[in-house]
Amino acid sequence: MNTQMMRETGASRSAGLIAAPDVVRTLTVVSSLRANQPATSKYSEFQTQQTAAKESARQLQQVIDLIPLQMFILEPESSASFENQAAHEYFGPLQAASLKARMMEVTHPDDLESVMGTYKNALASGQPFEAEARLKSKDGLYRWFLQHMYPLRDEQGRIVRWCGTRIDVDDKKQSQENAHRESLALREEIDRTSMFEEIVGTSPALKAALARIAKVAPTDSTVLITGETGTGKELVARAIHKRSSRAKRPFVSVNCAAIPKDLVASELFGHEKGAFTGALQQRLGRFEMAEGGTIFLDEIGELPAETQVALLRVLQEREFERVGGTRSIRADVRVIVATHRDLPAAIEGGTFRSDLFYRINVFPVEMPALRERREDIHLLVEYFVDRYSSKMGKTIRCIERKTLDRLQSYSWPGNIRELQNVIERSMIICDTENFSVDDSWIANRACANRPLADELVAQEKEMIEAALAETRGRVSGPSGAAATLRMAPSTLDSKIKSLNIDKRRFQVN
Ligand SMILES: Nc1ncnc2c1ncn2[C@@H]1O[C@H](COP(=O)(O)OP(=O)(O)O)[C@@H](O)[C@H]1O
Ligand SMILES: [Mg+2]
């Protein structure tokens, strides 16, 4: 009887496949026969037992098919296998090919090696195992599954089959991947913001500029920063230096507009003793001071013609001579330049050399005006209020809504520098915990459809105010507004009077 049953099983095996009930029945009957020692029982008794076994196997099969989890039984030594309904639904019915062959076929090529490795190790060690892999459905789509396999042993402890389950973990995996991607994006964002922690703002216009700055910083390329006065050009130049391999070497800033024309060359390149009247000592220029580091040439558009030639030579040959000297000095200096001027227009006007322009225009970065990124104003106000209140030991609990609205609608001709000054001045005056700004400091003059003459006057006023904001109300001297505007201090003074500009507005302390 045993033999007959074995033959039956053997026949099914030789067909290459055991039907699911057969496997279950085989497992159930073998164990019940072994337990009851059926050799002594009668054939009818066995038949009854077999019918009962068949029924319980059928029920067991139904239960297994009801389980939403995929289940399968794999016989490593043969092609005989069994899969439950959930597995059939996903993969389609199991054809004559062995389950093992099909597993190879449906497993994603990128996951195959690791799954097969785990499987081989498990076969050798006889230990249960789990593996994650993408498996192809009958529709040709891959989903992630977590597969567990447990060895089933005979009485001698030999592994005869492996029982496996598969859980669809695709949704979990996708959300893990999304979370991973989000955290990468966030980390990138944090890196970017912390990379420029001193540059406040989150507007798209500023972010675009910062992205370019982040790219160029680690290179040794010349950078041309353009933008209106007070938009943060110098801040950016320092940030670029700080994020370059030259960070530990000097950063030397030169405002070309603030140096009298005939002294610019000596300021930049130094001079030998006796090079000109008053040159009593040899003097190092800014290029030599910046050796190994970065030189920032602000207001490059104001450079006199002769100095433009000398600068072109430094950029081309990395060499210069001191004024009155004959020896060439090598310059290992990164050059960053800035201007609020329209250089192509200056080339047209014959005040700027086009060959120098092409040399410096390697990597242009344009800083947006504050009115083009009004969404940053709130953040900047908070930042400066925080900075100046702690500097002055004041406690500010809130910023008045009206003040914030006015600050946000003002046109800011002097950009962030002007905003910073307005906040600093207001903080000095502020003696409550509510921060407010005097309306007259941020009165909007701009008005469309003005006659040309009025427009010119308004523009002139704006430019002078911006220059005063930059120089904190100083008119004369190398760093005064007159130098920035390239006009005589006395002319500027009379313009300030005629335009009714209150210089004190721009003075701090
Ligand atoms: N995005 C910004 N966040 C914080 N402070 C800024 C920002 N941009 C400019 N500033 C501040 O505004 C002032 C003017 O910036 P600066 O770099 O000198 O402008 P520019 O060289 O374009 O005239 C500086 O005190 C600078 O620290
Ligand atoms: Mg500047």
Side-chain angles (χ1 to χ4, degrees), residues 234-263:
E234 177 150 5
L235 197 65
V236 161
R238 286 180 191 277
I240 291 174
H241 171 71
K242 235 164 99 180
R243 276 85 188 176
S244 75
S245 57
R246 297 173 177 268
K248 292 204 165 61
R249 309 287 302 166
F251 175 88
V252 175
S253 170
V254 187
N255 184 350
C256 303
I259 308 165
K261 261 186 175 179
D262 45 353
L263 291 181

Side-chain angles (χ1 to χ4, degrees), residues 32 53 69 90 171 222 236 280 294 301 308 348 363 384 459 500:
S32 73
L69 194 75
Y90 186 76
D171 292 344
T222 301
V236 161
L280 304 174
T294 306
Q308 289 182 27
E348 288 264 299
F363 195 93
F384 289 128
Q459 271 194 18
N500 222 353

Side-chain angles (χ1 to χ4, degrees), residues 44-296:
S44 60
E45 216 178 308
F46 171 65
Q47 265 191 326
T48 321
Q49 269 187 2
Q50 207 184 24
T51 315
K54 262 188 185 167
E55 180 54 22
S56 81
R58 202 180 59 81
Q59 286 177 12
L60 188 59
Q61 169 72 30
Q62 280 178 353
V63 171
I64 291 174
D65 278 341
L66 280 175
I67 299 173
L69 194 75
Q70 291 188 23
M71 289 186 76
F72 58 94
I73 288 168
L74 183 67
E75 306 209 19
E77 300 307 323
S78 77
S79 54
S81 318
F82 153 72
E83 277 183 339
N84 74 344
Q85 188 61 27
H88 284 170
E89 276 168 15
Y90 186 76
F91 295 109
L94 192 57
Q95 303 298 330
S98 77
L99 179 59
K100 217 166 116 189
R102 189 167 75 170
M103 287 316 296
M104 308 267 292
E105 189 195 311
V106 296
T107 304
H108 193 287
D110 292 351
D111 303 333
L112 197 57
E113 201 178 320
S114 86
V115 171
M116 290 316 285
T118 317
Y119 180 58
K120 278 197 188 116
N121 287 344
L123 275 191
S125 68
Q127 293 300 313
F129 74 95
E130 61 174 57
E132 272 188 342
R134 278 158 288 182
L135 304 178
K136 190 161 65 178
S137 73
K138 58 178 189 266
D139 310 319
L141 300 172
Y142 283 98
R143 288 183 73 81
W144 279 99
F145 283 89
L146 173 62
Q147 190 161 294
H148 284 101
M149 286 190 72
Y150 310 92
L152 301 178
R153 298 173 188 273
D154 65 10
E155 276 173 348
Q156 279 74 46
R158 287 174 305 215
I159 297 174
V160 283
R161 299 179 174 88
W162 287 80
C163 172
T165 59
R166 284 188 212 108
I167 309 169
D168 185 330
V169 290
D170 200 69
D171 292 344
K172 197 173 114 206
K173 202 82 180 169
Q174 298 290 357
S175 65
Q176 268 173 0
E177 253 168 45
N178 284 346
H180 179 65
R181 238 177 278 132
E182 271 165 28
S183 92
L184 272 187
L186 194 67
R187 203 164 325 132
E188 222 171 69
E189 176 77 32
I190 291 168
D191 278 355
R192 206 161 43 210
T193 41
S194 58
M195 187 174 175
F196 299 110
E197 70 269 310
E198 70 279 38
I199 304 178
V200 178
T202 55
S203 61
L206 182 70
K207 275 188 173 168
L210 292 185
R212 283 181 68 74
I213 293 158
K215 281 215 178 80
V216 78
T219 74
D220 227 17
S221 301
T222 301
V223 184
L224 166 63
I225 310 168
T226 56
E228 292 176 14
T229 179
T231 47
K233 297 189 291 295
E234 177 150 5
L235 197 65
V236 161
R238 286 180 191 277
I240 291 174
H241 171 71
K242 235 164 99 180
R243 276 85 188 176
S244 75
S245 57
R246 297 173 177 268
K248 292 204 165 61
R249 309 287 302 166
F251 175 88
V252 175
S253 170
V254 187
N255 184 350
C256 303
I259 308 165
K261 261 186 175 179
D262 45 353
L263 291 181
V264 176
S266 129
E267 187 71 32
L268 290 181
F269 307 114
H271 61 241
E272 297 295 351
K273 191 173 164 183
F276 47 86
T277 330
L280 304 174
Q281 302 284 339
Q282 184 206 57
R283 184 172 179 234
L284 287 191
R286 302 295 184 100
F287 267 95
E288 277 175 272
M289 290 179 193
E291 180 61 19
T294 306
I295 193 163
F296 172 54

Side-chain angles (χ1 to χ4, degrees), residues 167-459:
I167 309 169
D168 185 330
V169 290
D170 200 69
D171 292 344
K172 197 173 114 206
K173 202 82 180 169
Q174 298 290 357
S175 65
Q176 268 173 0
E177 253 168 45
N178 284 346
H180 179 65
R181 238 177 278 132
E182 271 165 28
S183 92
L184 272 187
L186 194 67
R187 203 164 325 132
E188 222 171 69
E189 176 77 32
I190 291 168
D191 278 355
R192 206 161 43 210
T193 41
S194 58
M195 187 174 175
F196 299 110
E197 70 269 310
E198 70 279 38
I199 304 178
V200 178
T202 55
S203 61
L206 182 70
K207 275 188 173 168
L210 292 185
R212 283 181 68 74
I213 293 158
K215 281 215 178 80
V216 78
T219 74
D220 227 17
S221 301
T222 301
V223 184
L224 166 63
I225 310 168
T226 56
E228 292 176 14
T229 179
T231 47
K233 297 189 291 295
E234 177 150 5
L235 197 65
V236 161
R238 286 180 191 277
I240 291 174
H241 171 71
K242 235 164 99 180
R243 276 85 188 176
S244 75
S245 57
R246 297 173 177 268
K248 292 204 165 61
R249 309 287 302 166
F251 175 88
V252 175
S253 170
V254 187
N255 184 350
C256 303
I259 308 165
K261 261 186 175 179
D262 45 353
L263 291 181
V264 176
S266 129
E267 187 71 32
L268 290 181
F269 307 114
H271 61 241
E272 297 295 351
K273 191 173 164 183
F276 47 86
T277 330
L280 304 174
Q281 302 284 339
Q282 184 206 57
R283 184 172 179 234
L284 287 191
R286 302 295 184 100
F287 267 95
E288 277 175 272
M289 290 179 193
E291 180 61 19
T294 306
I295 193 163
F296 172 54
L297 303 175
D298 201 358
E299 300 305 354
I300 188 87
E302 317 308 315
L303 215 56
E306 324 79 76
T307 326
Q308 289 182 27
V309 182
L311 178 61
L312 184 63
R313 183 167 164 227
V314 180
L315 291 172
Q316 274 171 346
E317 295 161 29
R318 300 279 147 193
E319 271 185 2
F320 62 90
E321 276 146 32
R322 292 195 191 119
V323 176
T326 47
R327 190 167 60 90
S328 283
I329 299 170
R330 285 216 59 78
D332 171 22
V333 178
R334 183 190 198 171
V335 180
I336 302 179
V337 304
T339 183
H340 71 277
R341 273 196 198 285
D342 178 357
L343 288 183
I347 294 170
E348 288 264 299
T351 56
F352 203 80
R353 294 182 68 104
S354 60
D355 46 6
L356 177 59
F357 175 70
Y358 295 124
R359 273 284 159 184
I360 58 174
N361 193 26
V362 179
F363 195 93
V365 173
E366 185 168 2
M367 293 310 291
L370 190 50
R371 65 183 168 283
E372 285 159 14
R373 49 183 185 110
R374 288 190 186 277
E375 58 269 56
D376 286 341
I377 293 177
H378 194 152
L379 210 60
L380 281 160
V381 171
E382 302 259 1
Y383 171 74
F384 289 128
V385 163
D386 202 52
R387 188 155 119 189
Y388 290 114
S389 62
S390 54
K391 213 166 150 185
M392 298 177 200
K394 295 189 177 184
T395 310
I396 298 297
R397 297 220 183 274
C398 80
I399 300 166
E400 277 185 5
R401 185 72 243 171
K402 200 175 119 225
T403 286
L404 207 54
D405 289 346
R406 293 301 297 268
L407 292 173
Q408 259 167 338
S409 57
Y410 181 57
S411 63
W412 297 112
N415 292 295
I416 300 173
R417 183 180 290 106
E418 187 183 0
L419 172 66
Q420 184 178 332
N421 289 350
V422 163
I423 306 280
E424 188 174 357
R425 281 201 307 273
S426 306
M427 193 61 76
I428 294 169
I429 291 166
C430 184
D431 49 13
T432 71
E433 293 189 341
N434 283 357
F435 179 80
S436 65
V437 169
D438 192 312
D439 270 358
S440 67
W441 291 352
I442 45 173
N444 256 331
R445 303 155 305 257
C447 158
N449 303 326
R450 277 185 298 214
L452 181 62
D454 289 1
E455 183 63 41
L456 289 177
V457 171
Q459 271 194 18

